[in-house]
Structure formats: C-alpha cells, structure tokens
Amino acid sequence: MKFGKRLKRQIEETLPEWRDKFVSYKDLKKRVRLICTTLEEEANSNGPASSGCASTRVSEEEEEFIFLLNAEIEKFNAFFMEQEEEFVIRQKELQERIQNVTATLGPNGRRMSESEYKEEMGKLRKEMVNFHGEMVLLENYSSLNYTGIAKILKKYDKRTGGLLRLPFIQKVLQQPFFTTDLLSNLIKECESTMQTVFPTEMQERTEKTVDIAAIEDSIFRNTLAALVTMREMRRGSSTYSHFSLPPLNLAEPPDQSDTFTLLSPIPIQ
C-alpha cells in the first residue's frame, strides 16, 4: 500500500481530536508538483539547453518549500510535547490511584468487600490498557510524520534535482516529536505496572468484563490499527535505506488476540 493511502487510513482510524495534527502529505505533494511545473515552464522558455525541472531558481522555490516543512515540524512538536506532558501526569495519577486502592481495599488494607475491590481494580485495569493504547498511538504518530516528511523530501530532490533531503532529515532527527525516549519509558513503565498489579490470577476475575470492554473501546481499535501501520512501515524491503525507520517486530498475524497481548502483559485464554 502506498504511503498516502496508508496515512489516510490511519488518520480516519485515529482519535478524532488528533486528525488535523498529522503531516499534510497531500498538500505537500501538490506543492512539489507545482514547483516542478513552474521550473519546467521557465526552463522551456529559455530554450532546449535549459530544459528540465532543475533551474537556477530552485533555491527560491526551495526557500518557500522549507518554510512549509518547518511549519509542519512545529505542528508535530507542539502536539507531541503536549500529549507527552499529559501522559506523564496521567501515569503519576494512575500510580497513585492504584496505591490508594491497594492500601484501602487490598489484601493488606481495610477491604470493605471483595466485590468492591474487584470493581475498582477492574476499572483501573481498563484505564491502564487504554492509557497504554494512547501512548502507542502517539508513538505511531511520530513514525508516520517522520516517514511522511522523508518521502516528501525524496520526491522533492528527485523531481527538482535538489539536495534538501539529507540536511533536513538531520534536523528532523533532533526534533522533540522524533525523540521518543521518554514516551518509550512511559510505555515500559505502564507495562511493568500492569504485570505487577494485575498478575495472571487477576485475569481470571476480570477478563470476562474488562477485556471485552477494552476490545470494544475505540482506543483499542485505533491502537490495533496503529500497530498494524507501524509494522507495515517498518517492514524490511528492497527500498530500505538509512532514512527508513528500523523494523518493528510484531506478532504475525496482527489479529485482536495477538495484538491485545502486546498492549497488555496479561495473557488472554
């Protein structure tokens, strides 16, 4: 599947409030075509010796193109940092809620009833699964936008004869939206918490209600789509280069049961 179609599908399947935050890939492609058409017309008007897409005016067109690319980068960074900051706060709040429930209703706490304890832990488990899913979506957001920018730059250099791709990608690699170390650590911490707080025996008491609810939840479905997209984008191919994202090793095939195992350390029977 071509990247443009994959991006469109992912935008349609992501959270509604995220849809205008992705790379404006279609608009940037139109801009590249317009630039090339303009340069070809100018070259043809100067005679056969100057024919071709590249011309002495490429630097002027490139300046405008870089401005548009920088605006996209700013959009990515603003959204990514806002979400990342929110995730840090939510992670801390969830940890505190788990501690409070365990201290108050847990085995060593002042448990009022078994049903109340199960109900509260069930709610927390679902929230943790959905929270994990949103973070995976943001990781996918980073990958998709990087790939979109890299592909647009490749098209630009190929059609105009420019050399913009390498220096601009080097800049992109330093941007907050591409620097996902903190996000990756949050995801790992969330997974670790789920493994610790919701061990295998907890599954037997909650899976019939919580797992079904999580599977039906829109965040879960969106995350499933994101995982499939990341796997497709990072799959090794004959066109793999140092501009490509590293391969992502996911279970095959990415059906609901396999992917849910990736989202939650608690196995599904």
Side-chain angles (χ1 to χ4, degrees), residues 55-185:
S55 78
T56 55
R57 280 207 58 209
V58 72
S59 59
E60 298 176 25
E61 303 292 345
E62 185 174 280
E63 185 176 339
E64 181 179 358
F65 188 63
I66 290 175
F67 176 83
L68 294 176
L69 290 175
N70 283 330
E72 290 291 285
I73 298 300
E74 290 178 7
K75 177 178 70 177
F76 304 156
N77 285 338
F79 178 72
F80 186 88
M81 289 189 292
E82 179 182 3
Q83 293 299 312
E84 197 172 52
E85 182 178 353
E86 179 184 334
F87 289 160
V88 171
I89 296 172
R90 286 174 62 186
Q91 181 93 299
K92 183 178 180 181
E93 290 176 345
L94 280 169
Q95 295 282 5
E96 291 177 350
R97 284 178 57 196
I98 289 171
Q99 291 175 5
N100 290 337
V101 170
T102 302
T104 304
L105 303 175
N108 299 320
R110 302 180 300 278
R111 188 188 308 183
M112 295 179 64
S113 69
E114 181 71 14
S115 61
E116 185 177 0
Y117 177 68
K118 287 169 59 177
E119 181 181 358
E120 290 302 315
M121 294 303 285
K123 290 178 182 178
L124 282 169
R125 180 172 182 264
K126 181 182 178 182
E127 286 190 45
M128 290 291 289
V129 170
N130 287 338
F131 177 53
H132 184 277
E134 288 184 58
M135 291 192 289
V136 172
L137 285 176
L138 190 62
E139 195 168 41
N140 179 58
Y141 173 86
S142 172
S143 298
L144 272 172
N145 289 313
Y146 168 81
T147 302
I149 292 296
K151 287 184 175 294
I152 285 295
L153 288 167
K154 181 180 179 180
K155 289 179 183 295
Y156 180 87
D157 281 5
K158 182 179 180 180
R159 299 197 63 180
T160 67
L163 298 173
L164 182 59
R165 188 185 185 195
L166 180 58
F168 201 89
I169 285 295
Q170 289 175 337
K171 172 185 176 180
V172 169
L173 296 179
Q174 305 301 317
Q175 298 301 309
F177 88 90
F178 187 80
T179 309
T180 59
D181 290 347
L182 174 58
L183 179 61
S184 296
N185 288 335

Side-chain angles (χ1 to χ4, degrees), residues 205-219:
R205 297 187 292 177
T206 61
E207 65 180 1
K208 291 184 179 180
T209 56
V210 180
D211 289 343
I212 292 174
I215 289 173
E216 293 177 347
D217 191 276
S218 62
I219 293 175

Side-chain angles (χ1 to χ4, degrees), residues 136 223-232 248 250 259 262-263:
V136 172
T223 306
L224 175 64
L227 286 168
V228 172
T229 299
M230 282 195 289
R231 186 197 60 188
E232 291 174 350
L248 183 68
L250 295 181
T259 308
L262 291 170
L263 298 181

Side-chain angles (χ1 to χ4, degrees), residues 224 227-228 231-232 235 249-262:
L224 175 64
L227 286 168
V228 172
R231 186 197 60 188
E232 291 174 350
R235 192 195 308 273
N249 297 318
L250 295 181
E252 296 276 2
D255 59 24
Q256 284 190 341
S257 59
D258 287 342
T259 308
F260 190 87
T261 302
L262 291 170

